[in-house]
Amino acid sequence: MKPRHKRAALIGGGLAALGLAAYLVLNAFESNLVFFFTPSQIASGEAPRNRTFRVGGMVKDGSVKRDNLTVAFVVTDTAKEVSVSYTGILPDLFREGKGVVAQGKLGNDGHFTATEVLAKHDENYMPPEAQHAVDQAQKSIKTLK
């Protein structure tokens, strides 16, 4: 084999290995990517079914139902609501009327099953995405009146 052919084979093999590595990295990145949706976006069908994402808003007053470690509650952005169930220990700051972000999957029946629940850490904090969603929902309610 001529040196020119050896060099071409080496460059081709290097490019193939680089392409494979890039594919594997991008595939892992995509599978770990988690998007945020509001209850209004979920109600309009923008959220994916059977794929992990986050939903955020306020826990609706009077909606928390406990059954041992399983908790069912409703997350609202003041315009639309999503029912959520979670099995596990909730954060100490989880309360009705307070901000929450839940990560999980939306089933075909429209019920969100959470694998993780995050509560805001003080009275002044709300995740920026959730605050924006609540503000947008309140604006849309005001324009409908």
Side-chain angles (χ1 to χ4, degrees), residues 3 9 12 29-30 33 41 51 62 66 74 79 86 103 108 125 139 141 144-145:
F29 180 70
E30 181 183 348
L33 194 61
Q41 290 174 313
R51 182 173 163 97
R66 297 177 189 269
V74 174
Y86 173 70
Q103 181 173 315
N108 292 327
Y125 176 77
K139 284 181 187 176
I141 290 173
L144 294 174
K145 289 183 180 180

Side-chain angles (χ1 to χ4, degrees), residues 101-143:
V101 174
Q103 181 173 315
K105 293 182 180 183
L106 184 66
N108 292 327
D109 59 354
H111 182 77
F112 189 83
T113 304
T115 56
E116 182 179 10
V117 174
L118 307 169
K120 67 181 189 175
H121 69 277
D122 70 13
E123 292 184 19
N124 299 321
Y125 176 77
M126 182 181 295
E129 300 92 349
Q131 183 63 51
H132 179 71
V134 170
D135 293 343
Q136 291 296 102
Q138 289 176 347
K139 284 181 187 176
S140 66
I141 290 173
K142 288 178 183 176
T143 58

Side-chain angles (χ1 to χ4, degrees), residues 85-108:
S85 65
Y86 173 70
T87 301
I89 298 172
L90 289 168
D92 291 336
L93 298 174
F94 179 86
R95 303 263 187 283
E96 292 178 351
K98 300 293 183 183
V100 69
V101 174
Q103 181 173 315
K105 293 182 180 183
L106 184 66
N108 292 327

